[in-house]
Amino acid sequence: MANTAELTVDGKSYSFPTLEGTEHEKAFDISNLRDQTGYVTLDRGYKNTGATKSAITFLDGELGILQYRGYSIEDLAAKASFLEVAYLLIYGELPTKEEFNTFETAIRRHTLVNEDMRKIFDGFPVNAHPMGVLSSLVSAMSAFYPDLQGGSDEDKTDLHIIRLLAKIPTIATWSYKRSLGHPMNYPKNQLDYIPNFLNMMFSLPVEDYKVDPVVAEALNVLLILHADHEQNCSTSTVRLVGSSQANIYSSISAGISALWGPLHGGANQEVIEMLEDIKADGGDVSKYVEMAKNAKTTGFRLFGFGHRVYKNFDPRAKIIKKAADDVLSKLGVNDPVLEIAKGLEEAALHDDYFVSRKLYPNVDFYSGIIYRALGIPTNMFTVLFAIGRLPGWIAQWKEMREQKEPIGRPRQIYTGATLREFKPLDQR
Ligand code: ACO
């Protein structure tokens, strides 16, 4: 017999069904809780709330497991291309050769961005943060495809998915080029996805840029590691916005905004800036560990440490730490900040404050060091995260629509004033 959860409240007993996922995580189904009992649940930050059933990504925070559609992150990072992983996340299976060719060719053919979008760029200040520009421009894309209105045009979803995957790298590099005052590059469709992105980032009309395969491979691994992470803050944002039937561009734009925050994807920029500060301050990591331990008074957190779900280690951080060593040695880069990062990790992992709170390096701790070695400027780090996370957001948006999920609308416990009488202005 299936398990049930018994709840006694106000002297009455209620019974709720339980359910179990394919990887054995268990849940109480409280969909009818308020109807039956008059109560709602309170769960700030949704620490215990499963907002949906999803078949895309599985993670076990205690064991440090991450799988996309049943494939381990370690296997995918070592053996797959980013576009194969994108296909896997979005369509549920690894593509056959033929499916992959069709998918990749479609993406190549949609890399051009409407010329009118360039005029929008002109309205941004040159020092605008590229994440602000990216989120605005992705939102603006919806205005270029008016057939989207009302979000009911599901048969065109595949085309919009291709457009997003194809054009976001182009838009991202334009925001960077503009901040430098350099001409914006057009895509070159003879290049593969990642080399095309690198070429748009780094080539100049005055000299050729040759894509270094070490750089392209490192970026491939980083994008795969960031490609999905189940119901995190930005993904939940994408699903919530999409649940109102908002179109896919608006939903992804909202996800980009959520990702920008320093407690989420924006941490990768904060980490490098923190490591630079430590270096400039003489490299004494213990001083910063002490400051973080007094976070409540200093307001200082160790960026790149701690995770809502991983309470043992972040499997992505493990892969990235090793990749940082490999990439820096292959490229012959000696970055003193890598040593500071390792020292900081070592000091924190032996400190009871971090051990007792299960705070470990997360995906953002070492990624910035690799981005920097690849020549990517600090304010583009979170944009790279967004390019990586794009297939995950798309897959989650698509699943939410296909499951015909109801509009997302949490409840609250109201704590404000109770009904009072209005006094006109001259009597207050
Ligand atoms: N440095 C110092 N103390 C920390 C840190 C940190 N990086 N992270 C958490 N703590 C402490 C908190 O002060 C709290 O201590 P307390 O129990 O004495 O009050 C305890 O650890 C639990 O922290 P919460 O903030 O309650 O944990 P939560 O799960 O809500 O937050 C988060 C997770 C936001 C990632 C947090 O660890 C953090 O702010 N880390 C730094 C930012 C960061 O690296 N974000 C990237 C996350 S990965 C990603 O989004 C891609």
Side-chain angles (χ1 to χ4, degrees):
M1 203 179 108
N3 264 342
T4 52
E6 306 300 323
L7 175 71
T8 305
V9 61
D10 297 337
K12 275 175 121 180
S13 288
Y14 304 91
S15 157
F16 296 94
T18 61
L19 61 149
E20 190 169 326
T22 51
E23 290 279 3
H24 310 299
E25 65 286 3
K26 298 181 176 67
F28 306 127
D29 182 348
I30 55 152
S31 315
N32 296 321
L33 178 72
R34 189 169 178 278
D35 282 348
Q36 287 192 50
T37 67
Y39 282 72
V40 297
T41 54
L42 177 63
D43 183 21
R44 276 160 38 102
Y46 309 121
K47 291 191 181 195
N48 305 282
T49 297
T52 188
K53 289 186 192 170
S54 178
I56 301 171
T57 290
F58 169 70
L59 73 81
D60 182 322
E62 275 68 40
L63 297 178
I65 292 172
L66 175 60
Q67 294 165 359
Y68 301 157
R69 304 279 191 189
Y71 295 97
S72 81
I73 193 66
E74 289 80 8
D75 240 10
L76 292 169
K79 298 174 191 159
S81 74
F82 175 62
L83 285 190
E84 271 178 286
V85 171
Y87 187 99
L88 170 71
L89 286 166
I90 296 168
Y91 296 109
E93 295 295 338
L94 283 168
T96 61
K97 251 188 181 158
E98 204 188 330
E99 286 165 341
F100 184 73
N101 283 342
T102 310
F103 182 63
E104 202 203 15
T105 306
I107 292 172
R108 276 180 205 268
R109 294 213 174 121
H110 282 87
T111 51
L112 262 188
V113 171
N114 191 305
E115 280 296 294
D116 283 340
M117 291 272 269
R118 293 178 71 115
K119 295 184 194 143
I120 305 180
F121 268 94
D122 293 340
F124 287 102
V126 280
N127 58 355
H129 194 287
M131 279 299 274
V133 177
L134 185 66
S135 121
S136 309
L137 268 285
V138 172
S139 177
M141 280 173 84
S142 58
F144 287 81
Y145 307 110
D147 52 342
L148 277 167
Q149 294 318 317
S152 57
D153 201 4
E154 300 290 339
D155 57 326
K156 291 222 178 110
T157 295
D158 282 340
L159 178 58
H160 295 305
I161 289 173
I162 295 292
R163 282 176 175 149
L164 279 163
L165 290 167
K167 294 179 204 300
I168 282 187
T170 310
I171 294 172
T173 65
W174 282 3
S175 66
Y176 169 59
K177 285 294 192 186
R178 195 176 139 72
S179 72
L180 294 179
H182 288 176
M184 301 191 267
N185 288 322
Y186 285 104
K188 278 190 174 165
N189 287 356
Q190 70 272 30
L191 295 175
D192 287 345
Y193 193 76
I194 290 175
N196 204 357
F197 170 76
L198 289 168
N199 187 63
M200 286 188 282
M201 276 290 287
F202 297 117
S203 72
L204 288 166
V206 287
E207 58 189 53
D208 284 339
Y209 169 78
K210 209 168 160 304
V211 176
D212 182 337
V214 173
V215 173
E217 178 46 33
L219 200 51
N220 184 57
V221 171
L222 283 170
L223 295 182
I224 290 174
L225 294 179
H226 286 87
D228 195 43
H229 213 234
E230 49 117 305
Q231 308 308 318
N232 57 86
C233 176
S234 55
T235 302
S236 299
T237 301
V238 170
R239 288 184 84 125
L240 188 63
V241 172
S243 78
S244 76
Q245 305 270 307
N247 68 64
I248 192 166
Y249 300 99
S250 308
S251 308
I252 301 279
S253 163
I256 294 170
S257 300
L259 185 74
W260 191 7
L263 296 190
H264 191 13
N268 60 11
Q269 175 171 346
E270 301 285 342
V271 170
I272 282 288
E273 287 168 1
M274 173 186 78
L275 295 174
E276 281 293 350
D277 286 348
I278 298 176
K279 187 173 130 230
D281 195 19
D284 179 7
V285 293
S286 57
K287 180 175 160 189
Y288 286 81
V289 167
E290 285 310 310
M291 270 164 66
K293 284 163 69 174
N294 295 309
K296 290 206 172 64
T297 44
T298 59
F300 173 78
R301 284 192 166 200
L302 277 190
F303 282 100
F305 260 79
H307 197 275
R308 170 58 62 78
V309 196
Y310 292 121
K311 298 299 175 196
N312 192 347
F313 66 92
D314 180 338
R316 303 166 300 173
K318 235 181 174 179
I319 300 172
I320 292 183
K321 183 180 178 186
K322 187 175 172 309
D325 276 328
D326 288 355
V327 171
L328 267 63
S329 93
K330 276 190 198 152
L331 295 175
V333 173
N334 179 17
D335 190 341
V337 150
L338 179 60
E339 287 318 308
I340 292 183
K342 286 184 178 171
L344 194 60
E345 177 183 356
E346 193 60 20
L349 293 186
H350 287 98
D351 192 296
D352 187 54
Y353 174 93
F354 291 88
V355 175
S356 63
R357 287 170 179 75
K358 303 186 178 196
L359 301 171
Y360 298 87
N362 60 47
V363 66
D364 291 324
F365 193 63
Y366 286 102
S367 64
I369 293 172
I370 306 185
Y371 290 139
R372 207 150 88 138
L374 305 185
I376 292 167
T378 313
N379 68 355
M380 283 293 284
F381 289 0
T382 317
V383 171
L384 264 292
F385 193 151
I387 294 174
R389 183 55 54 88
L390 181 61
W393 288 331
I394 292 171
Q396 301 270 352
W397 185 93
K398 187 167 174 282
E399 180 183 71
M400 181 267 309
R401 282 296 175 88
E402 286 167 357
Q403 290 180 173
K404 301 210 180 312
E405 286 184 9
I407 187 167
R409 205 300 187 185
R411 294 268 180 178
Q412 64 167 14
I413 310 298
Y414 177 68
T415 58
T418 53
L419 185 64
R420 41 189 174 159
E421 197 185 331
F422 176 83
K423 285 201 179 95
L425 195 54
D426 58 0
Q427 291 172 32
R428 274 178 251 151

